[in-house]
Each structure stands twice: as C-alpha cells, then as structure tokens.
Amino acid sequence: MSRIRVAIQKSGRLSDKSLALLQGCGLQFARSKDKLFWYGQDFPVDLLLVRDDDIPRMLLDGVCELGIVGQNVAREVMLERNGGDGLDELRPLRFGGCRLSLAVPEDSGATSAKDLDGARIATSYPALTRHLLEQQGVNASIVELAGSVEIAPGLGTAEAIADLVSTGTTLRANHLRELEVIYRSTAALFSGASPLPDDKQALLDRLLMRLDGVLHAAESKYVMLHAPRDAVEAITELLPGAEQPTLLRLEGNRDKVALHAVCRETLFWEHLEALKAAGASAILVMPVEKMLA
Ligand code: ATP
Ligand code: ZN
C-alpha cells in the first residue's frame, strides 16, 4: 500500500504546532531512534523532521509529497530555483505568522524603501528581498547572511536589513527602526506541483478533509444559552456564523428555551455582551474538537 511523507521542521518555531496539527488529524507516529523519520502507525502518512530551509527543496525533488513551512521560505526557494513556481500551497495555517521588514539604524534618515536605492541590505532571504525590492523599483545590493542579520548595520557591512519580525523586540534591542513591511508570511501546507499517482492523491484528499475539519473546528465554538421564546430570532442573528440552532424545552419554564448552536466564527466578549443584552442568560461557550460536514 502506498504511503505519503510530510516534512516538518525538526526544532524551531514551527515544530510543535506542525506536529500538533497532524496529530489533531488523527495521525500517530512511531518515533525512530535517530528521530528524523517517524513512521505513521494507523494512517499511511510518515513524517520527516528536517531543517525548515530544506523542506521546499525536498518537495521540488520529490523526496516527500507534503511539507509544512513558512511561506517566506517556500517563496525564497521557488524564486531561487524555479523563477517563482514549483510548489502548490494547499492550505495556509494559523501559526508562524511574521513579516519580512526593512529596518535601518535608528538615526538613519530613510523614510521608505525608495530611500534604500543603491544601499546594501543584509538578509537571510536574498531572492525574496531582491524580488520584492525590484517590484518597488528599488535597486539595492543584497548581502546574504545565514543568521544574526540585525548586527550587520552596526558592523558596517550593510546600511539596512530585511529580516523577519514578529514583535519588533529584536530590532529595538539592536537600535534598528522598522522602515517598511515588504512581505507577510504564515506557515502553510505545501505540495510539489507535479501530479500525484491516484492512490497517493486519494490519501492526500483524505488527509486534507481531516485537516479542514481541524482548521474549522479551531475557530468554531458550541454555544448553549437560555433565551426568552420571543427573543430566539434576534439572539440567533447575533451568533456569528451560526446556522439553524437547536431549541430545547426547559423543564418548569414556559417563557424560555435552551438554544444550542455551532458558531463557525470567532466569538468575542462583545458577542456575549450583545447576547446578554438581547435577553440571553446562562451562556456557555465550549470548544469544538472535530468537525466533519
Ligand atoms: P532551522 O534550524 O529549521 O533552519 P530557523 O532558525 O531557520 O530553523 P525559525 O526561527 O524556527 O527557523 O523560524 C521558522 C519560521 O518561523 C520562519 O521561516 C518564519 O516563517 C516563522 N517565524 C514566525 N515568527 C518569526 C520571527 N519572529 N522570526 C523568524 N521567523 C519567524
Ligand atoms: Zn531555517
């Protein structure tokens, strides 16, 4: 029977969430001694644990069928190897969010990317940075660094940097100022662009169906509340992304009913306050673990 391989980051920002997501799809793995290859036990999907930068190349080379990696890394490798193609983004994921930003020393006079024309820019994403700057008509010379990009201006090897930022703390600690966001990235599930044989495609479809169930469940909530009979309609309209609710009789109370509904969008405190104002009471919000339409 055929199997498919998924490459995820071995240790880093994406590792835990990538693994948790696959486990949420019901995959369980027998961990090998060297810890680089994990055999899928109940479902024929195996894991490869590698450096994130290797994942796009492994997909392009057909070493694995699927990979979870930052869009930034995927774009970088595609630009460098294939002029921008070669991988299919199957699903964006809700983790690993960050931005690729241009930053300059605090005392620099630059106010936008345009001011970096002719400057040296240090980055670990040379192809992506060059591509994005070219789109803006900025001609810069790229200084490729594998890490610690933020110290380049201080060392005098570049006038600016293009680096991944999530909070900006690292920039501030190095007396850098964020000039402009040039790219936004999240982790995503990718496949190689070449078609899979039917049996593997069938397996992939099953996995994607489970994955969609997990992704939808993550934003969905099961809501239970008591509603005055005459406010049921108004209350239902206040529930974000809810379809037909279930109404249940409340023992010993003719004026109110219990209303249960699945909300497919994020439920904020403001929603709960509005429900209460519309007459709802005993409001309970519960997480949804799995969903299959
Ligand atoms: P590896 O050893 O696997 O090469 P790494 O050091 O290159 O790891 P991490 O720092 O773990 O990689 O980042 C992996 C990915 O996480 C990045 O490519 C990016 O998509 C995402 N990410 C999210 N927030 C940040 C951030 N603040 N800085 C860097 N990457 C971030
Ligand atoms: Zn890396």
Side-chain angles (χ1 to χ4, degrees):
M1 190 165 136
S2 66
R3 310 183 64 85
I4 53 181
R5 292 177 172 175
V6 189
I8 66 170
Q9 191 185 22
K10 181 167 181 271
S11 76
R13 295 172 196 264
L14 307 180
S15 309
D16 293 350
K17 287 185 174 149
S18 303
L19 182 61
L21 183 65
L22 295 171
Q23 287 173 331
C25 295
L27 310 191
Q28 286 180 324
F29 304 98
R31 306 179 183 204
S32 68
K33 268 215 195 79
D34 64 6
K35 293 205 181 142
L36 299 179
F37 180 87
W38 293 7
Y39 182 81
Q41 284 177 317
D42 301 322
F43 199 75
V45 173
D46 304 318
L47 267 197
L48 290 171
L49 288 96
V50 298
R51 286 200 54 196
D52 69 340
D53 317 70
D54 293 335
I55 295 174
R57 289 185 196 89
M58 293 171 72
L59 289 167
L60 290 169
D61 295 344
V63 177
C64 52
E65 288 80 13
L66 296 174
I68 296 177
V69 68
Q71 292 163 332
N72 54 309
V73 174
R75 281 298 302 279
E76 174 69 23
V77 175
M78 283 193 277
L79 284 166
E80 168 194 303
R81 284 247 309 226
N82 280 27
D85 307 315
L87 299 178
D88 275 350
E89 183 178 313
L90 301 177
R91 297 289 185 279
L93 304 170
R94 288 168 177 265
F95 58 88
C98 57
R99 52 194 195 268
L100 182 66
S101 282
L102 295 171
V104 290
E106 277 163 1
D107 56 8
S108 156
T111 56
S112 77
K114 302 256 184 287
D115 296 332
L116 298 181
D117 206 48
R120 292 169 301 167
I121 303 184
T123 184
S124 303
Y125 300 95
L128 184 56
T129 302
R130 184 174 293 118
H131 173 77
L132 295 166
L133 288 175
E134 272 170 11
Q135 281 185 332
Q136 297 207 34
V138 178
N139 209 334
S141 67
I142 304 289
V143 180
E144 182 174 357
L145 294 177
S148 304
V149 166
E150 61 283 354
I151 63 173
L155 295 177
T157 50
E159 283 75 51
I161 67 168
D163 204 9
L164 294 178
V165 183
S166 44
T167 58
T169 320
T170 312
L171 291 184
R172 280 191 293 279
N174 287 281
H175 302 288
L176 296 172
R177 172 164 60 84
E178 195 171 348
L179 190 64
E180 199 172 309
V181 178
I182 52 175
Y183 185 73
R184 289 189 190 276
S185 175
T186 66
L189 177 72
F190 288 91
S191 68
S194 35
L196 293 176
D198 288 350
D199 48 348
K200 288 192 179 188
Q201 185 61 47
L203 208 52
L204 172 59
D205 291 342
R206 258 178 86 197
L207 182 62
L208 286 179
M209 193 160 76
R210 290 189 184 190
L211 184 67
D212 288 338
V214 174
L215 297 176
H216 292 149
E219 45 191 288
S220 298
K221 293 283 181 281
Y222 193 76
V223 181
M224 309 200 300
L225 52 81
H226 291 177
R229 276 187 189 281
D230 53 9
V232 164
E233 212 170 308
I235 285 175
T236 306
E237 272 176 25
L238 290 172
L239 290 167
E243 282 145 33
Q244 309 95 331
T246 307
L247 297 183
L248 301 164
R249 202 166 62 87
L250 282 174
E251 199 58 43
N253 188 335
R254 285 165 176 275
D255 304 327
K256 288 190 172 184
V257 289
L259 185 155
H260 293 192
V262 173
C263 292
R264 287 171 174 270
E265 292 163 28
T266 313
L267 212 72
F268 295 104
W269 278 108
E270 286 74 10
H271 289 119
L272 301 193
E273 287 159 4
L275 289 168
K276 197 165 155 53
S281 57
I283 307 172
L284 272 181
V285 179
M286 287 174 297
V288 174
E289 195 184 277
K290 294 189 179 71
M291 272 177 122
L292 200 62

